[in-house]
């Protein structure tokens, strides 16, 4: 039976069996996970140019190749991570995700060629897959339905803080060490090792602070393949299908901001302005930092709207905002000018709008017993979106214009808006389920 006076954290009503420390662990997880997920793509151009010596004209293709390899790894693993989380609990999957990210980041600047770099990017991506699925799942597991929009808003806020730390502080580490006399290669290696050590420490902390309870005992007896199939089969529900489609665009948006926005600035800064790789990386981090600052500030707003509007309606609104924001990059010719700063503001708003609205809709439509699988499939859809945008966007970045990945994301968002308008009246929320969690043993 649900408690009559549920505990609260920052205005969130906690589910039965969840303590305040568990909720703070969830928010801390979103901060660190997004920090490391944002850091490596933003620092990739420095590794490609400053460590491996990849020609500037080939870096767009290289970033696209790394993105495609990472997303193939995520596609192969995401649904299984969700099923594993339903079977064994969320905590082991979270800890494994942080450990894999730490391993990939630690070895990344030691790669001797692009082939090894791709392999390490795959290791990192397997960790990202685990963390991406669990961020959404844990956030909705830990609160009652009436607080899930706000929970996503707060997760977005803490994620924005993590992304800011990554693009405003962590990406500056190589320049700091270079200024102290280190060679570029040594500066990169020390910087990545510091980040990896911090992430590994957080993995240990998560083991002791995340909840050990599970959403339901039935999933322990269901084969993993069946859990995966059930997550896919949920797409027959119009609300689930809309959430999956929105995730396709939302996760791609995040990848575009983290990877291609910094690459655009760095390419222009080194090629047109003659800046060093470390200086260009810092400038790129500043532009991405503006986008992430706006995302951080706007996240609670869209979370608040998610608990006060029909969730399919706020999702459609968010996708429309994101589409307009990303298409505005077509107006930019100088990525170091003031116009790029305004676009960064719009992109940050669109990015967080898309990310924070898809999850609560899925939580409203997916049964609790297969929620992990549903979020695994949702994140899988996001991985496919990143695969398409990274592959096609990376190719068009070099052959057409640097705004190409943003344009692809914007057009994809308009398609989701059209689909949402078609199905919005057919979305019927599931009856409210018990908010109690079942003890692990």
């Amino acid at each position: 039976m649900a408690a009559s006076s549920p505990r609260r954290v920052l205005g969130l009503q906690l589910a039965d069996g969840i303590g305040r420390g568990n909720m703070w662990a969830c928010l801390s997880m979103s901060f660190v996970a997004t920090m490391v997920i944002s850091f490596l793509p933003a620092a990739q151009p420095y590794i490609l140019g400053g460590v491996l010596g990849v020609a500037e004209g080939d870096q767009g293709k290289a970033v696209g190749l790394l993105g495609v390899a990472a997303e193939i790894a995520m596609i192969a693993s995401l649904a299984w991570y969700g099923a594993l989380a339903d079977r064994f609990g969320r905590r082991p999957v979270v800890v494994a995700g942080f450990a894999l990210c730490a391993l990939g980041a630690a070895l990344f600047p030691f790669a001797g060629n692009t082939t090894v770099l791709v392999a390490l990017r795959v290791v990192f991506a397997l960790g990202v897959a685990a963390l991406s699925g669990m961020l959404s799942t844990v956030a909705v597991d830990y609160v009652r339905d009436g607080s899930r929009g706000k929970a996503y808003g707060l997760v977005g806020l803490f994620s924005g803080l993590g992304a800011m730390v990554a693009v405003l502080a962590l990406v500056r580490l190589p320049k700091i060490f270079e200024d102290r006399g280190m060679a570029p290669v040594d500066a990169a290696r020390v910087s990545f090792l510091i980040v990896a050590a911090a992430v590994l420490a957080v993995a240990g902390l998560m083991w002791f602070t995340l909840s050990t309870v599970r959403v339901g005992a039935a999933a322990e007896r269901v084969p993993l393949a069946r859990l995966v199939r059930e997550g896919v089969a949920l797409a027959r529900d119009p609300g689930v299908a809309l959430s999956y489609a929105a995730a396709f665009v939302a996760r791609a948006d995040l990848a575009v901001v983290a990877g291609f926005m910094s690459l655009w600035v760095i390419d222009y800064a080194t090629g047109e302005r003659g800046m060093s790789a470390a200086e260009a990386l810092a400038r790129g981090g500043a532009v991405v930092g503006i986008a992430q600052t706006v995302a951080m500030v706007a996240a609670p707003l869209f979370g608040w709207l998610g608990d006060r509007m029909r969730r399919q309606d706020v999702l459609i609104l968010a996708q429309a905002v994101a589409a307009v924001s990303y298409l505005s990059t077509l107006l930019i010719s100088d990525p170091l000018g003031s116009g790029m700063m305004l676009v960064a503001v719009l992109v940050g708003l669109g990015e967080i709008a898309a990310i924070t609205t898809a999850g609560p809709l899925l939580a409203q439509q997916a049964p609790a017993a297969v929620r992990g699988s549903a979020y695994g499939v949702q994140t899988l859809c996001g991985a496919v979106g990143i695969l398409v945008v990274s592959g096609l966007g990376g190719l068009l970045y070099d052959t057409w214009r640097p705004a190409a990945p943003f344009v692809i994301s914007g057009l994809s968002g308009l398609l989701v808006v059209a689909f949402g308008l078609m199905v919005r009246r057919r979305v019927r929320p599931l009856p409210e389920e018990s908010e109690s969690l079942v003890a692990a043993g």
Side-chain angles (χ1 to χ4, degrees):
M1 180 181 295
S4 57
S5 299
R7 284 168 290 187
R8 293 175 178 267
V9 168
L10 299 178
L12 303 176
Q13 291 186 325
L14 302 185
D16 292 344
I18 295 301
R20 293 183 178 91
N22 300 139
M23 191 67 227
W24 282 111
C26 170
L27 296 175
S28 300
M29 177 179 71
S30 66
F31 172 85
V32 179
T34 309
M35 180 186 73
V36 68
I37 291 171
S38 301
F39 165 72
L40 191 135
Q44 275 179 175
Y46 182 81
I47 300 298
L48 291 171
V51 177
L52 293 182
V54 176
E56 183 178 308
D58 295 327
Q59 288 189 19
K61 297 184 188 71
V63 169
L65 174 63
L66 289 167
V68 167
E71 296 318 308
I72 290 174
M74 291 183 70
I75 288 169
S77 63
L78 272 165
W80 294 101
Y81 277 134
L84 287 167
D86 282 337
R87 171 74 70 82
F88 300 108
R90 318 315 192 197
R91 186 178 62 154
V93 178
V94 171
V95 172
F98 276 121
L100 286 168
C101 283
L103 178 63
L107 298 178
F108 204 68
F110 291 89
N113 53 59
T114 305
T115 302
V116 176
L117 199 68
V118 168
L120 293 173
R121 188 71 173 85
V122 167
V123 172
F124 185 83
L126 292 174
V128 172
L131 294 176
S132 296
M134 291 304 98
L135 275 175
S136 301
T137 310
V138 173
V140 299
D141 281 349
Y142 282 14
V143 299
R144 295 167 180 261
D145 183 68
S147 292
R148 283 174 179 158
K150 291 189 288 292
Y152 257 75
L154 283 172
V155 165
L157 175 63
F158 278 78
S159 295
L161 286 170
M164 283 181 59
V165 170
V167 300
L168 296 180
L170 297 187
V171 297
R172 294 177 180 269
L173 288 176
K175 185 176 187 303
I176 292 172
F177 290 121
E178 277 191 38
D179 291 343
R180 294 183 178 180
M182 279 191 182
V185 173
D186 293 333
R189 289 174 175 173
V190 171
S191 300
F192 275 70
L193 285 172
I194 289 173
V195 172
V199 172
L200 195 59
V202 171
L205 182 64
M206 290 296 105
W207 182 260
F208 294 104
T209 55
L210 288 176
S211 174
T212 58
V213 300
R214 298 185 184 136
V215 173
E220 299 178 45
R221 300 185 294 273
V222 177
L224 292 179
R226 179 179 166 188
L227 287 171
V228 173
R229 289 196 301 271
E230 288 178 352
V232 174
L234 287 172
R236 291 192 293 262
D237 180 285
V240 173
L242 178 58
S243 177
Y244 286 174
F248 177 96
V249 178
R251 302 304 300 180
D253 289 353
L254 183 60
V256 164
V257 174
F260 286 101
M261 181 170 276
S262 59
L263 177 63
W264 187 358
V265 175
I266 290 168
D267 277 355
Y268 189 86
T270 55
E272 301 294 328
R273 300 290 178 86
M275 296 182 183
S276 70
E279 290 174 328
L281 180 61
R283 290 295 296 270
V287 173
V288 178
I290 291 173
Q292 300 300 351
T293 300
V294 173
M296 176 189 68
V297 173
L301 169 63
F302 284 96
W304 179 80
L305 287 174
D307 287 334
R308 283 160 179 77
M309 294 173 60
R310 292 195 305 178
R311 283 174 176 157
Q312 63 268 34
D313 291 341
V314 74
L315 184 149
I316 293 168
L317 172 63
Q319 289 290 328
V321 170
V324 171
S325 301
Y326 280 75
L327 290 173
S328 70
T329 57
L330 286 169
L331 304 175
I332 297 300
S333 58
D334 178 5
L336 294 178
S338 58
M340 188 62 163
M341 301 302 177
L342 177 58
V343 166
V345 170
L346 295 175
V347 164
L349 181 65
E351 173 196 347
I352 202 64
I355 290 172
T356 56
T357 53
L361 176 60
L362 182 59
Q364 170 185 287
Q365 302 298 124
V370 292
R371 189 178 293 149
S373 298
Y375 277 100
V377 174
Q378 185 195 54
T379 312
L380 172 63
C381 293
V384 175
I386 296 174
L387 177 64
V388 172
V389 172
S390 294
L392 183 58
L395 177 64
L396 293 178
Y397 179 97
D398 289 327
T399 58
W400 179 42
R401 60 193 300 171
F406 298 88
V407 173
I408 295 170
S409 288
L411 294 176
S412 300
L414 291 179
L415 292 176
V416 174
V417 170
F419 175 60
L421 292 174
M422 290 171 55
V423 304
R424 59 186 289 266
R425 296 187 182 279
R426 293 165 47 201
V427 175
R428 297 289 184 270
L430 287 182
E432 188 73 21
E433 297 190 54
S434 171
E435 302 294 342
S436 299
L437 298 182
V438 177

